[in-house]
Amino acid sequence: MEFSTKAGSPEKLKGACLVVGAYADRKLSASASLVDAASKGALTNAIKHGDLNGKRGSTLLLHGLPGIQAERVLVVGLGKQDELTDRTFAEAARAAFRALTQTGAKDAVVCLAEAAVPKRTHADNVRQCVTAAREVTYRFDVLKSKKEEPLVLKKVAFASDKASAAAVEAGIAEGTALSNGIDLAKTLGNLPGNVCTPTYLADTAKKLAREFHLKVDILDRKHIEALKMGSFLSVTRGSDEPPKIVCLTYSGAAAKNAPVVLIGKGITFDTGGISIKPADAMDEMKYDMCGAASVLGTMRAIAEMNLKINVVGIVAACENMPSGTATKPGDIVTSMSGQTVEILNTDAEGRLILADALTYAERFKPACVIDIATLTGACVIALGNINSGLFSPDDQLAAELLAAGQAASDPTWRMPLEEEYQEQLKSNFADFANIGGRPGGSITAACFLWRFAKNFRWAHLDIAGTAWKSGSAKGGTGRPVALLTTFLKQRASA
Ligand code: BES
Ligand code: MN
Ligand code: ZN
């Protein structure tokens, strides 16, 4: 889908479909009022007959209105005007594009971004429309022999005037870059474990590096062994699939600016290892690399946006498999940091690979480090599928991430991180264990990581409940690419 701007009064705009908003309580938006006046009251008529109520997400398609240049008019319900928020606006935008794709219109002119959403700019609204359009038209059919019908809607123009043209252009550019990042993360998540291997993630990083002039460094088993990453290596022992640690560097600012380091958990399939998982829904453990996918998606988005910031993206990738060579419960390993770990459960593998990636991150002298991981089932129990879990000993960094999540409609909820929980990780035989029992399972997992994150500002995002959807809507969500991109954008402009 191609996005552009179009200047002129709504009734004069040519195209297959004109999209305007209407509020609940019989109120028309500015564009809808102009359409109503030009069409001698077509919309007030529709209100009178009960066909148009402006309820949030409702749509009404009208053909061949007199006095209107466009072939069709789609009126989208924005809900009550005084209840308009980012979220309700995005919901209406999604409804608009869903309805649009069900018409035969090849192109559309959208007049929704004029809506006054509290604390949001015109550019924000355009970005929301672009991401909504991309969200409802996202497809994953590369592995189906019969492809879905191609999309009829090819071109979307946003209404603009002299005063708003630059903002509309900026909104389109940002929305497109963000959607490209989100789609990459979704697709990497949706690809099965026999396609999306650690090598595939590394190849994806190489491709990004070529396209966006990033620096890429891929560590293979030999390098990883030379670095003495005993914790990481314990996870890959049972697998025949070569492990990779990928470092992508984006330099958008002067070299003297310390980089933000993003670390993604990239378990391309998590069987649980010798502590094997039950068969039920085990297929969903192909999504256990969604942290890594979100790092690659974010690197893509910020590079396309040309953000003035330095960022290093680290992807720690391997499989967690049972075999004759696999790590056994009770095995003790030495991490790159020198700390020893008693592996009481091989299914608590995410923290084992992240531990060494965190130690590795020290060499970048980071401004801060954020790890992103589908780390614990306990986080899904605690927060469900709405909020990602945010853990950080750093109140300021936590506040920044909370705010970015709110701004991006990709929310997090702060969870406790306190020394008192460390007791649960006590081991009789090593420095500590890799599990802390069922109580506060997502907190003890974060506490484990904390032991490897003492030398920089750090936050951990547990995305186990938010990275993908189960059931009939099974699929990657692309979260938290929007949150991370917004966080970096705010840092770049600070
Ligand atoms: N990748 C899983 C976490 C997970 C499970 C995410 C289900 C989403 C849905 C992780 O590696 C894991 O298995 N964690 C264990 C830890 C436990 C053994 C302490 C868990 O959550 O059960
Ligand atoms: Mn696991
Ligand atoms: Zn896992």
Side-chain angles (χ1 to χ4, degrees), residues 74-113:
L74 179 70
V75 191
V76 183
L78 296 166
K80 289 197 181 129
Q81 192 167 14
D82 56 3
E83 286 175 7
L84 197 61
T85 66
D86 223 26
R87 206 166 289 175
T88 61
F89 181 75
E91 199 182 316
R94 283 192 294 270
F97 284 103
R98 234 177 254 126
L100 255 180
T101 54
Q102 256 137 68
T103 70
K106 291 193 186 69
D107 59 89
V109 188
V110 175
C111 309
L112 295 177

Side-chain angles (χ1 to χ4, degrees), residues 265 267 270 272 275 277 284-285 288 320 345-351 374-380 434-438 441 444-445 462-465 468:
K265 171 180 174 183
I267 296 291
D270 181 11
S275 313
K277 289 181 179 295
E284 295 190 8
M285 282 299 112
D288 211 18
N320 187 21
N345 189 318
T346 63
D347 198 11
E349 85 297 339
R351 61 198 80 181
T374 48
L375 203 63
T376 63
C379 192
V380 191
N434 76 327
I435 54 166
R438 278 168 54 86
T444 50
D462 194 332
I463 58 167
W468 75 92

Side-chain angles (χ1 to χ4, degrees), residues 466-489:
T466 53
W468 75 92
K469 289 182 181 156
S470 305
S472 62
K474 196 190 285 183
T477 60
R479 290 180 68 181
V481 171
L483 154 73
L484 294 169
T485 304
T486 305
F487 168 79
L488 293 169
K489 186 184 151 206

Side-chain angles (χ1 to χ4, degrees), residues 230-248:
S231 187
F232 177 98
L233 288 164
S234 73
V235 177
T236 189
R237 278 186 61 93
S239 167
D240 291 334
E241 208 51 73
K244 305 279 175 199
I245 293 181
V246 182
C247 293
L248 259 184

Side-chain angles (χ1 to χ4, degrees), residues 38-362:
S39 64
K40 306 217 160 53
L43 301 191
T44 35
N45 232 346
I47 293 174
K48 211 186 298 162
H49 289 102
D51 297 350
L52 177 59
N53 56 30
K55 274 197 189 133
R56 195 199 305 164
S58 66
T59 55
L60 175 68
L61 186 66
L62 301 162
H63 282 261
L65 290 189
I68 305 298
Q69 290 286 317
E71 290 161 24
R72 309 168 181 76
V73 174
L74 179 70
V75 191
V76 183
L78 296 166
K80 289 197 181 129
Q81 192 167 14
D82 56 3
E83 286 175 7
L84 197 61
T85 66
D86 223 26
R87 206 166 289 175
T88 61
F89 181 75
E91 199 182 316
R94 283 192 294 270
F97 284 103
R98 234 177 254 126
L100 255 180
T101 54
Q102 256 137 68
T103 70
K106 291 193 186 69
D107 59 89
V109 188
V110 175
C111 309
L112 295 177
E114 64 188 12
V117 182
K119 291 191 265 179
R120 294 290 181 268
T121 64
H122 198 112
D124 287 331
N125 288 351
V126 172
R127 187 197 65 231
Q128 287 273 33
C129 288
V130 171
T131 53
R134 292 281 301 267
E135 187 180 333
V136 304
T137 56
Y138 172 81
R139 287 175 182 190
F140 181 76
D141 60 6
V142 280
L143 299 175
K144 295 206 182 196
S145 59
K146 278 210 182 79
K147 306 299 174 204
E148 289 174 41
E149 290 280 308
L151 209 64
V152 177
L153 184 67
K154 292 274 178 335
K155 290 183 176 172
V156 172
F158 292 100
S160 71
D161 53 29
K162 267 207 187 105
S164 67
V168 175
E169 291 283 3
I172 291 173
E174 204 177 300
T176 302
L178 181 58
S179 297
N180 288 341
I182 290 173
D183 284 7
L184 173 62
K186 283 184 184 174
T187 295
L188 288 172
N190 289 335
L191 285 168
N194 64 330
V195 175
C196 187
T197 58
T199 305
Y200 188 94
L201 289 176
D203 289 345
T204 304
K206 278 192 214 162
K207 239 193 254 161
L208 284 181
R210 243 177 281 129
E211 189 174 351
F212 295 99
H213 309 290
L214 313 176
K215 191 176 144 244
V216 65
D217 197 10
I218 292 165
L219 311 178
D220 55 24
R221 184 187 290 277
K222 278 217 180 87
H223 289 100
I224 299 168
E225 280 168 358
L227 287 163
K228 297 201 161 68
M229 293 187 168
S231 187
F232 177 98
L233 288 164
S234 73
V235 177
T236 189
R237 278 186 61 93
S239 167
D240 291 334
E241 208 51 73
K244 305 279 175 199
I245 293 181
V246 182
C247 293
L248 259 184
T249 305
Y250 169 74
S251 305
K256 67 172 190 334
N257 293 300
V260 172
V261 176
L262 305 176
I263 302 178
K265 171 180 174 183
I267 296 291
T268 58
F269 198 84
D270 181 11
T271 64
I274 296 297
S275 313
I276 200 158
K277 289 181 179 295
D280 228 37
M282 204 211 267
D283 69 286
E284 295 190 8
M285 282 299 112
K286 72 173 182 176
Y287 288 110
D288 211 18
M289 34 54 70
C290 281
S294 78
V295 170
L296 294 175
T298 301
M299 295 305 283
R300 192 197 148 112
I302 62 162
E304 197 172 337
M305 286 178 189
N306 281 311
L307 289 191
K308 291 189 173 36
I309 190 168
N310 294 332
V311 182
V312 178
I314 301 178
V315 163
C318 69
E319 275 184 348
N320 187 21
M321 299 289 282
S323 89
T325 58
T327 293
K328 303 168 290 297
D331 285 1
I332 295 177
V333 297
T334 304
S335 66
M336 185 182 177
S337 72
Q339 300 177 97
T340 61
V341 182
E342 184 183 16
I343 300 173
L344 289 176
N345 189 318
T346 63
D347 198 11
E349 85 297 339
R351 61 198 80 181
L352 293 172
I353 65 166
L354 292 173
D356 284 337
L358 283 163
T359 303
Y360 187 72
E362 287 180 13

